[in-house]
Amino acid sequence: MTTADEAATRIGGTWDLTLRPGAFPPRSGVLTLTPDGESLSVRFETPEGSSTGEGDIKGRRLSWTVAVGSNPATLRFEAEVEGDILLGHVELGVGPFKERAPVEAVRVGSGARLPFREGSVAVVETLTACGVEYVFGYTGGVSTSLERSIIAHDIKDFNARNELSAAWMSYGYNRVKRRAASAALTWCVGALHASPVVYAAKLDSTPLVLMLIESAAAWDMRDILQDATELYPALKPLSKYIKRVVDGEDLPLAVRQAVLAASTGKFGPAVLDLTQGAMYQRTTVRTEQLTLPEPPAAGETSVRRTLELIEAAERPVILAGAGIHLADATGELRRFVDATGIPVVSSGAGGRAVLPDDHPLYAGDMSGWGYFGTGTKVAEEADLWVAVGFSFSQTATLSWSLAKPEKVVQVDIEESQLGRIFQPTLGIVADAKAFLGQLNGGLDASGLKGRRHAGEVRSAEIATAKDTYAETLKSFVGTDPIMPAAIGQVLSEEVPAGTIFVNDEGFPVPGMVYRESKYPSGFAAPLGFHYAALGSSLPVAIGAKLAAPDRLVVSVGGDAGFYYDCGELSVLAERSLKVVSIVLNNGGLYGGRRGREHGGPGSVPFTHWTDLPETDYTTVAQGMGVPGERVDKADELAPAIRRAIAADGPYFIEVMTAASTMHLHMAEWPDPDPKTTRKAGHADLFVDGSWPN
């Protein structure tokens, strides 16, 4: 039987105590226990004040009641002491709310450490150890079981106005950082609101970690409120990596694996379906610092063979895709083309600006986005393509109808991309930056540096074509009504060097020209292109601004997309976050109107579902706390942009524009090669003439 002296030695003294309610952040205080036989006097001090209570002792077990802070109800604690560690729980209750919350304490001055931590703490510790800097979220249900640990630890959090925007913010942050440097958090019922971003991350090769919290696994198959048991199979096809975690011991590894999967190889989305019970379970599994592996380089034989193919070619061309940007390889690309005189043709929006638009060896993009139409011509006249980070997508190839040379070198970090659509002459698994660095390293041993005369001829052709196009583009500036093609040109003159642009649906900013003077290393847009989702511009811009706080960020979107994300203007005001938001108001969903053409003559009126009611978007922005103005005339555009740049915080500009996308269709494509059949786009109903047919 335990004597009073033994109980006093074991239990008496002061303890640093933490209680962890599920719906609130952890609460800490100093607990003073004074045994008297089998009786116990208690004093509990918190930042809100102190209170006293009484309790009982039975060996190592003890119980007591005490009021905590402003809680009107007396709380009952039960715990057990083992050396300098006290573990137990507290019964919480306010009105109909009841909870049995964990309690833990360490004797003050003992130096003792708890041999475990709660699951939610393990999640946050592991996120931090894996380099995750932000958690973007929209709260609900019991996602607070993880939120409280986020609040209590050294990790930044950022609230959106809905789950979709929270995920887009994380997407934009990670796209700029080029790794999973942030995560998104939602309650289960809102997880499918964020699913478009999961899919976009998969198609656009963007690192993304989405954490959703659902009810305890014990409630599975019982038709509970906001049942989430079908979310795992719903999100699995969209994810690169997905795990449902019901045991807290698995959390450190699940989080680590999610960040690793999202940030390596072909970037993509990782989804963690976390049950509430796992958040409260305790785990002893250690958290280790994550160091991402070095990206793969090509084998020496492949590098040598590539250089040989280039040397043997008369008209080689480098096809540069979004993989150049994702690998941060624009510097290596530029060194190679400057040394060899080989022109570069980019994929449409994804590979745009791998070199500055006015670089003499940038021929433009391949296919039909209208920026320097010579890109298609140069690509079709080539006798060798060296495609680096280039996926040969529909938009980059006019539905695979452009003339393809017999010899193609295809380089991609994802092995399954090689030979997926056609058989390349040489397929190489390698990171774009590593591979281009290897090519640069092999130049001295090759004869490529002496072949610049061939490149100079094509450079002159490229310069002539680009000059002609630039003059046509300039003709849109200064006209009323304001043409969309004028917006980017004015912006490119007014914004500081290095400004980050985010455009709705992933399209290039209308008329934007990325010049050497402001983008010597090219420009990587923080929004991918393949998924092309309305309403992504502003939240992606917010994520990009947080990832690059020293750079100006400009969001350019349409009025239809603004209905999706206008709520995030209040986030800008709340955080005083310097993002310039520009909305092009043409009175409707203009892309939808153009899409009506694909239905056949007279099948659907152009205005069906595409006309929007007249709305004063500037007043909407001002009502949310963001200053702004409406621009009706062309000569008002530049001054408005200057005021936006000079503003201390966020700024909104509504530009009344004509309904036109002419800037995307001005370039005259060369006559089709006899071996090809030009395709119109994703409304094509046939594949004849598509590679490899």
Side-chain angles (χ1 to χ4, degrees), residues 509-666:
V509 175
M512 189 70 200
V513 178
Y514 299 102
R515 295 192 176 89
E516 175 91 25
S517 59
K518 294 187 178 182
Y519 296 95
S521 300
F523 171 73
L527 181 62
F529 176 70
H530 285 105
Y531 192 65
L534 279 173
S536 52
S537 177
L538 183 52
V540 168
I542 290 171
K545 178 62 178 179
L546 294 171
D550 296 332
R551 298 172 68 179
L552 177 65
V553 176
V554 179
S555 165
V556 183
D559 48 340
F562 183 69
Y563 280 98
Y564 285 77
D565 58 16
C566 60
E568 304 315 314
L569 288 170
S570 69
V571 172
L572 296 182
E574 174 192 9
R575 304 275 183 154
S576 192
L577 197 63
K578 181 57 184 288
V579 172
V580 176
S581 177
I582 299 177
V583 168
L584 310 185
N585 184 353
N586 59 23
L589 181 61
Y590 187 67
R593 295 180 198 170
R594 292 296 304 269
R596 297 293 180 261
E597 299 171 4
H598 300 308
S603 59
V604 180
F606 282 5
T607 58
H608 183 66
W609 290 1
T610 63
D611 277 4
L612 299 175
E614 185 173 341
T615 304
D616 186 344
Y617 301 109
T618 303
T619 299
V620 172
Q622 292 170 343
M624 292 189 183
V626 176
E629 58 186 287
R630 173 181 280 193
V631 173
D632 294 284
K633 301 293 184 182
D635 59 3
E636 300 171 353
L637 184 57
I641 292 171
R642 293 183 202 122
R643 285 189 287 272
I645 295 170
D648 292 333
Y651 202 85
F652 180 84
I653 302 175
E654 178 184 3
V655 184
M656 308 304 292
T657 69
S660 171
T661 53
M662 284 184 61
H663 62 288
L664 294 177
H665 304 281
M666 288 191 301

Side-chain angles (χ1 to χ4, degrees), residues 3-82:
T3 66
D5 289 342
E6 289 172 336
T9 301
R10 181 181 297 118
I11 297 169
T14 57
W15 302 76
D16 285 326
L17 182 142
T18 301
L19 58 92
R20 302 184 181 279
F24 307 98
R27 304 186 67 178
S28 299
V30 176
L31 177 70
T32 302
L33 301 178
T34 305
D36 183 7
E38 294 185 349
S39 298
L40 184 67
S41 296
V42 177
R43 181 179 180 82
F44 191 46
E45 299 175 82
T46 70
E48 297 177 348
S50 61
S51 53
T52 59
E54 302 295 331
D56 302 305
I57 302 172
K58 293 182 179 179
R60 292 199 303 267
R61 298 180 180 178
L62 51 154
S63 61
W64 69 92
T65 57
V66 67
V68 176
S70 59
N71 193 330
T74 299
L75 305 183
R76 178 174 177 79
F77 291 77
E78 293 184 2
E80 186 170 326
V81 174
E82 183 66 48

